[in-house]
Amino acid sequence: SESLEILNSEALQADLRKSRYLMSITPDLSLQAYSRRVGGTGSGGEGEEGGGPVFFPEGTWYGYNVSLSQPLYTGGRAIAAYRGAGGQESSLVIQEELVRRDLLVAATEAYYAVLAATEAVRIGEQAVVRAERHLELAVRRLDLGEGLVTDKLRSEVNLAQVTGDLTRFHNLLADARDQVRRISGRPLADLPAGVDRLGEIAGGVDALVAEALEARLEREQDRLHIRIAEEDVKEKKGRFLPAFFIAANYFSSGEEVGEQRDGWDAGIFLQIPIYQRASRYYLLKESESGLRQAELRYEGRARDIALEVSKLNNALEASSVRLETLRKQVEFARENLRLAEKRFSVGLADSLETVDTQTALLESEVNLTAETLVYEVAKLRLYLALGRDIFPDVTVSSVRKTRSR
């Protein structure tokens, strides 16, 4: 998806920054050529920077300067910046994995919705068949003089209602299929024929929370953010420390091109920061504040994960109880409908009783299907909250390939 591509680009940028920081401790070589006009009397200005005590009399001077500089000690700034960029790259790799899991869970939820809508369509089709059969029986009884006109009218109204319900179920299925296509980037026909149901989750809340704290990638990501902030503090502190470097220059200058005087110099230099409008101090304080924020986020993450797992587990248990109740309601509604249809067929009940039992069965079956979807989605989200990878074989590269089709 686009999110994965963006994260991949950010990870590449972090890797390039890491290489750039590493290159800051390698030699720096530069070449400078010049044409200089010196006016006034006596000696002119000094020679090129680092070029030694060369003075230019009045006139036009030509020359060039080759400079080589090699840092020896930077107060730890370069290494701290390098390590911080490495930590940022690792954090982005984790974020890419988290996005992959979120995308797969969203696609699975959408597919579960398709399965639920398909089941609702099947239930609606069965309801239409029952309503048509009941209408035929009501018409037959009316023709034989054993039924009432109101029985026929109720049966017609019931058939119209369940036909409308079936149309609504078909629309829900079409919407669910479209949602799968939007999330996965592929039509439903290109997806696997089915999705295996996840296994039941065993263990109490404490055990599940412990598993989540151990397995959740967000915890590792928070630890990386602390490490990144620590390296940033080191880099800012390094700005207060002296720096050593080797510098060497080769220069050539003269009043005529091709007739310059040559010279060179080399040495070890010490650079001590003294004052830069207090900017270094405030940068350090900002970094220390960022470190404290990273530590607080790490501490708060544990509480958030524990609360998330507890809430999802409670929701799953509540849904399980509702499922069991709805299953019993469906069994009762089926048996009640069987008895009502039998009584109507022998003239011991009117059409209203039968229509009511048909409606009750339709509603209980649809409610059972909807609650099954709620249960499976809750279980799916609890799997994700526990840090379990439900699709370990589906890699980031394969997700990108799927979206590009």
Side-chain angles (χ1 to χ4, degrees), residues 53 57 221:
Q221 192 177 42

Side-chain angles (χ1 to χ4, degrees), residues 131 134-135 138 150-160 351 355:
H134 180 66
L135 176 59
T150 54
D151 290 337
K152 174 177 175 293
L153 293 176
R154 289 193 190 101
S155 301
E156 290 175 344
V157 171
N158 181 52
L159 178 59
S351 181
V355 168

Side-chain angles (χ1 to χ4, degrees), residues 7 86-96 98 220-222 224-225 228:
L7 287 171
Q88 185 66 29
E89 181 184 13
S90 300
S91 175
L92 290 170
V93 170
I94 292 177
Q95 187 63 36
E96 193 174 36
L98 291 173
E220 176 62 25
Q221 192 177 42
D222 288 340
L224 282 173
H225 289 164
I228 293 169

Side-chain angles (χ1 to χ4, degrees), residues 28-49:
D28 181 25
L29 181 64
S30 62
L31 171 65
Q32 183 180 32
Y34 60 85
S35 172
R36 172 177 293 176
R37 175 67 182 174
V38 179
T41 59
S43 299
E46 292 188 3
E48 294 304 304
E49 181 181 354

